[in-house]
Amino acid sequence: MTITGAINLDEKRSMASSTSRQEERSKEVGAVFDAVVVGAGFAGLYMLHRLRGLGFTARVYEAGGGVGGTWYWNRYPGARCDVESMQYSFSFSEELDQQWDWSEKYAPQPEILSYANHVADRFELRPHIRFDTRVTAATFDATAKCWLIETDRGDQVSAKFCIMAVGCLSAANRPPFKDIEAFRGPIYHTGEWPHDGVDFTALRVGVIGTGSSAIQSIPIIAQQASSLTVFQRTATYSVPAWNQKLTPEYRKTIKADYPALRAKARARPTGFYFPFNMKPALEATAEERERQYEEAWERGGLPFLGAFGDLLFEKAANDTIAEFARRKIREIVRDPATAELLCPDNVFGCKRLCVDTGYFEAYNLPHVKLVDVSKTPIERFTADGIVVDATEYPLDAVVCATGFAAMTGSFDRIRITGRNGLALSEKWRAGPRAYLGVASAGFPNFFTITGPGSPSVLASMIQAIEQHVDWMVDCMAHLRDLGADTLEPLQRYEDEWIEHVNEVSKVSLRSTCSSWYVGANIPGRPRVFMPYIGGFPVYVQKCNEVMSNGFEGFVIDGADINNEAPKVRLTERWRVPLDIDVISPAAVAARRVPVV
Ligand code: N01
């Protein structure tokens, strides 16, 4: 059975029983909106809410049967967020913050999906969303100065603004393994998991990949399966989550001054708050480093990277944390050969750091086996398993935890055509190009929420989404104030921004490895560091300046008046000072000073 077949069958079954599945509906032809939004994940939901708040008409199209985006599709066992739940949530509504209760430090996927549904209902967004509908094409009509949107359900509507809320990690990567169709058992992808769940009891299961999705699911699949074989191409650093239930007292303390926490988060390079030790690791003694790493390990999670200030800038400093993490793996995993295979040799935190509950411990179970496919890749599938280096591993089911065509994969699925017939896929062939990551020259009135060239995946996603949406909606309202037709980046500004994005990325060690940040997880993709690594507040400050300067770097066309300063409606709350106590790559690059 092929991957697609297994997933589609399960998807169809679950969608049939899903309450959010829409009844057959007639196609919508000729309707005109102020904006069409593609996607009803957190980005699409918030965009819709803000558009409606400012009196814009909008239609949202969503390929899934419900809201939630990433959290709608990624239902694999153990899926949960690794940003603390009290911060991985919308910050725009104090009432929402006060009334919603997160149950755990790191929220599990079903709870995050419930939250997305709650937001959709609370803000009456659902009637404006068409589910089970995939946008297939978006074409700019230069005469009418609007976008024509087509869907796989036959809808043909037009809108002044076309807004992509398609997510950064949504297009599943299904490597074309040889003879995959010969395999008799089901093949699942973590990013398109069956809604009814999967029971692996008494099955021989294979997991391909050792990124975040694999690391979360492996310990749980191991509890069910009769045998579990993990096919590892690159060993991964992972830090324990130490997840726990949140007590009412803890929630009460945070809620007593939620705005203060939100403000502190917005001022940080990551867009979320955690204690950060500015001292360089290379200035500490070996004993100090050991103590600091041990304490940070005991706190767990992504904040582990905040143990010292120079860890992502200085290779010698990074070597110290990498060695500490390898030592932990060797302490946990009893079989020395397996432990060595699990020890990464690349820069710590270069690929996205993983956060786990019992990942390395799972390899101590007698029925869990690790197969190295770094030098001898998966050769082929057979009817009964997977062959590596001439050895067949017998399997009943396979889980592809093989990740995504990150940042641009979802754009590639839609035929997007701008001015003069320019295809976005053509323009982005050598890597995505967008001014501030929000808009691309040649594509008027076309916005990309958390698009490439913005902090997006390097910041807490929901904060990054909110900042983008607030900025974009203020921009759209400004065009309405002016009576303008279109807004589009100037080529020169876009080129300068891309140059800056590239320049800043070189300051960080994160640009040095073959990660999905640079598209290197999939053969043939251009190798470009896609997110903006300069730091969230630095980026926000730049967006604010561009707006204050009358959308500097954009050309506004067809305005009745053109000298009216933009009104700051939604973006006021982003005008926050930088947390200068925390090193951001942009600050380092600008000062041109060594970090130690
Ligand atoms: O995907 P990944 P993911 N043969 O790309 C391997 C977010 N996320 O779904 O490293 C063999 O990280 C690939 O190997 P390599 C988070 O941002 C967050 O796990 O390319 N192996 C790698 O090991 C995360 O980073 C959360 O050499 C192949 C794995 O598959 C991002 O999503 C949870 C292969 C893919 O790992 C993506 O995570 C989950 C092949 N042909 C995800 N092709 C949380 O919030 C690929 N691989 C906790």
Side-chain angles (χ1 to χ4, degrees), residues 81-84 87-89 261-276 301-308 312-313 349 352-353 450 454-465 467 508 510 517 532-540 574 577-579 581-586:
C81 189
D82 58 12
V83 172
E84 290 190 22
Q87 296 196 56
Y88 188 82
S89 50
L261 175 64
R262 298 300 197 181
K264 278 200 297 191
R266 283 197 279 274
R268 287 304 183 93
T270 50
F272 68 102
Y273 179 78
F274 58 86
F276 191 97
L302 299 176
F304 185 62
L305 260 170
F308 286 105
L312 286 174
F313 299 103
R352 170 70 153 63
L353 183 59
T450 64
S454 72
S456 60
V457 290
L458 294 176
S460 179
M461 278 306 287
I462 298 188
Q463 295 309 293
I465 284 167
Q467 184 266 338
S508 168
R510 274 203 165 125
Y517 295 131
Y532 177 60
I533 202 171
F536 185 65
V538 175
Y539 173 80
V540 174
W574 300 101
L578 271 176
D579 190 339
D581 285 342
V582 177
I583 296 171
S584 85

Side-chain angles (χ1 to χ4, degrees), residues 120-312:
D121 292 331
R122 185 182 183 113
F123 297 101
E124 298 173 357
L125 303 176
R126 239 177 258 283
H128 309 278
I129 307 172
R130 296 289 174 264
F131 293 104
D132 303 315
T133 306
R134 192 174 278 284
V135 170
T136 52
T139 311
F140 183 68
D141 178 339
T143 311
K145 298 200 166 55
C146 69
W147 284 88
L148 305 174
I149 314 290
E150 297 165 61
T151 76
D152 63 354
R153 304 265 296 232
D155 306 296
Q156 291 180 330
V157 303
S158 63
K160 180 163 178 168
F161 299 103
C162 180
I163 299 156
M164 304 298 284
V166 290
C168 298
L169 294 158
S170 311
N173 169 36
R174 297 193 196 87
F177 294 113
K178 188 163 183 278
D179 297 338
I180 193 166
E181 64 290 343
F183 186 61
R184 277 200 289 250
I187 301 174
Y188 306 97
H189 191 287
T190 46
E192 293 178 346
W193 201 258
H195 289 201
D196 296 340
V198 180
D199 183 3
F200 290 111
T201 305
L203 296 182
R204 296 166 303 174
V205 182
V207 173
I208 304 174
T210 50
S212 297
S213 305
I215 276 179
Q216 288 187 326
S217 55
I218 281 168
I220 296 179
I221 296 175
Q223 287 167 17
Q224 293 179 357
S226 62
S227 75
L228 175 58
T229 309
V230 179
F231 298 89
Q232 172 185 276
R233 187 165 73 178
T234 309
T236 315
Y237 293 105
S238 186
V239 178
W242 309 124
N243 187 36
Q244 55 189 291
K245 294 274 179 222
L246 292 181
T247 62
E249 294 71 37
Y250 178 82
R251 285 196 294 260
K252 202 170 156 198
T253 309
I254 297 280
K255 287 182 179 188
D257 201 2
Y258 225 142
L261 175 64
R262 298 300 197 181
K264 278 200 297 191
R266 283 197 279 274
R268 287 304 183 93
T270 50
F272 68 102
Y273 179 78
F274 58 86
F276 191 97
N277 177 23
M278 273 294 292
K279 182 170 176 169
L282 295 181
E283 282 182 13
T285 62
E287 293 71 31
E288 268 180 82
R289 279 199 296 267
E290 185 66 15
R291 197 171 51 246
Q292 184 69 14
Y293 289 145
E294 201 60 64
E295 281 172 20
W297 187 267
E298 284 313 310
R299 282 196 300 273
L302 299 176
F304 185 62
L305 260 170
F308 286 105
D310 52 353
L311 296 173
L312 286 174

Side-chain angles (χ1 to χ4, degrees), residues 504-515:
V504 171
S505 75
K506 288 180 201 149
V507 175
S508 168
L509 293 172
R510 274 203 165 125
S511 62
T512 59
C513 66
S514 299
S515 65

Side-chain angles (χ1 to χ4, degrees), residues 572-592:
E572 186 60 52
R573 69 195 175 109
W574 300 101
R575 291 172 191 258
V576 293
L578 271 176
D579 190 339
I580 52 161
D581 285 342
V582 177
I583 296 171
S584 85
V588 174
R591 278 189 254 134
R592 299 260 181 255

